[in-house]
Amino acid sequence: MTSGPGADAPAPSDADLLRAHLEGDAQAFAVLVRRHRDRLWAVALRTIGDREEAADAVQDALLSAHRNAAKFRGDSAVTTWLHRIVVNACLDRIRRRQAHPTVPLPDGNRTDDRPSAPEPAAPAEDHDTALVVRQALADLPAEQRAAIVLVDVQGYPVAEAAEMLGVAEGTIKSRCARGRARMALALSSLRGQGADQRGDRGHAGQGNQQAAQTVSSGPGAGRPLPTSGEGRDKR
């Protein structure tokens, strides 16, 4: 993106970058993607639950955003618009995967789900807890999972999450409540073998708080995104 003569000029806003992209600036969209790619990647990974699928979903979403930037009406923040496209791409892939399930054959060479750098050592029980929490999140219906990822894991306000998913705020609240309740039941064993099951059902918020802390800090949350390459424009 071209720069002005002043070294201390304020950074362009997201809207400025999108406008520059539409006006032919070859670098503006790449700057916009670099600004938001970590959160876009984190949302995609936690929503779709598979690194390769998440990378493909984000790639498709960014290509769609690049080609259809002129359709952005400016009635929401640019980052909200980007998140909406990414989440929709993830949900599309989840639905297709559910409609046509496949079982990958292990070849002993996959490294997609391994962290790219060493992780701090953790007690075995903490590792087991993380696996249980992430599986509980992955087992949620796609719409509930997307709402919880946006609100509880990424910390977006309900109103903004509703914009991203294109639904009413009440729908987001309902999906989060149902998802939290399901996760609390799935995670009840983590609170002790002698816990009263009826008491556990009243602690959905506590269970989901633990889930949010775990899934938002797992390996791969900050994996760099691909910003070029071929893909299909689904929008």
Side-chain angles (χ1 to χ4, degrees):
M1 183 174 179
T2 56
S3 58
D8 297 328
S13 68
D14 292 346
D16 291 336
L17 290 170
L18 196 60
R19 190 177 306 110
H21 164 63
L22 291 172
E23 292 173 353
D25 191 318
Q27 300 180 35
F29 193 80
V31 173
L32 182 64
V33 169
R34 285 196 298 269
R35 182 176 291 178
H36 298 292
R37 63 183 177 182
D38 287 347
R39 296 200 82 179
L40 293 173
W41 166 249
V43 166
L45 181 60
R46 300 312 174 201
T47 299
I48 208 166
D50 178 272
R51 292 177 64 88
E52 184 175 345
E53 287 275 349
D56 288 344
V58 174
Q59 180 77 9
D60 288 348
L62 292 178
L63 285 169
S64 177
H66 184 277
R67 294 169 179 170
N68 296 290
K71 296 181 181 179
F72 176 65
R73 299 187 300 271
D75 52 359
S76 65
V78 173
T79 183
T80 300
W81 173 69
L82 289 173
H83 275 77
R84 182 188 303 137
I85 297 174
V86 168
V87 172
N88 283 337
C90 290
L91 294 178
D92 286 345
R93 284 182 171 270
I94 290 171
R95 294 183 187 110
R96 288 201 301 270
R97 186 169 61 188
Q98 291 172 342
H100 305 285
T102 59
V103 179
L105 297 177
D107 58 9
N109 296 318
R110 284 182 62 88
T111 59
D112 294 345
D113 295 324
R114 302 174 189 172
S116 57
E119 291 186 277
E125 62 182 63
D126 288 348
H127 178 68
D128 292 342
T129 297
L131 291 178
V132 173
V133 170
R134 289 174 193 157
Q135 187 59 52
L137 182 66
D139 288 342
L140 293 178
E143 287 77 10
Q144 292 177 18
R145 189 192 320 163
I148 282 181
V149 167
L150 290 174
V151 175
D152 291 331
V153 180
Q154 294 299 316
Y156 286 105
V158 169
E160 195 167 352
E163 280 193 79
M164 291 176 183
L165 294 177
V167 297
E169 291 183 33
T171 301
I172 293 294
K173 293 177 182 178
S174 176
R175 289 177 181 177
C176 285
R178 293 198 302 269
R180 288 166 187 157
R182 291 172 67 113
M183 290 191 72
L185 289 176
L187 302 177
S188 60
S189 63
L190 299 180
R191 303 192 195 100
Q193 295 296 328
D196 186 318
Q197 188 175 20
R198 289 174 300 175
D200 288 342
R201 290 177 181 174
H203 295 147
Q206 179 181 351
N208 200 63
Q209 182 179 32
Q210 182 179 18
Q213 292 172 347
T214 302
V215 299
S216 62
S217 60
R223 178 191 179 196
L225 294 177
T227 56
S228 62
E230 296 183 358
R232 295 179 303 279
D233 183 6
K234 301 181 181 62
R235 302 280 179 259

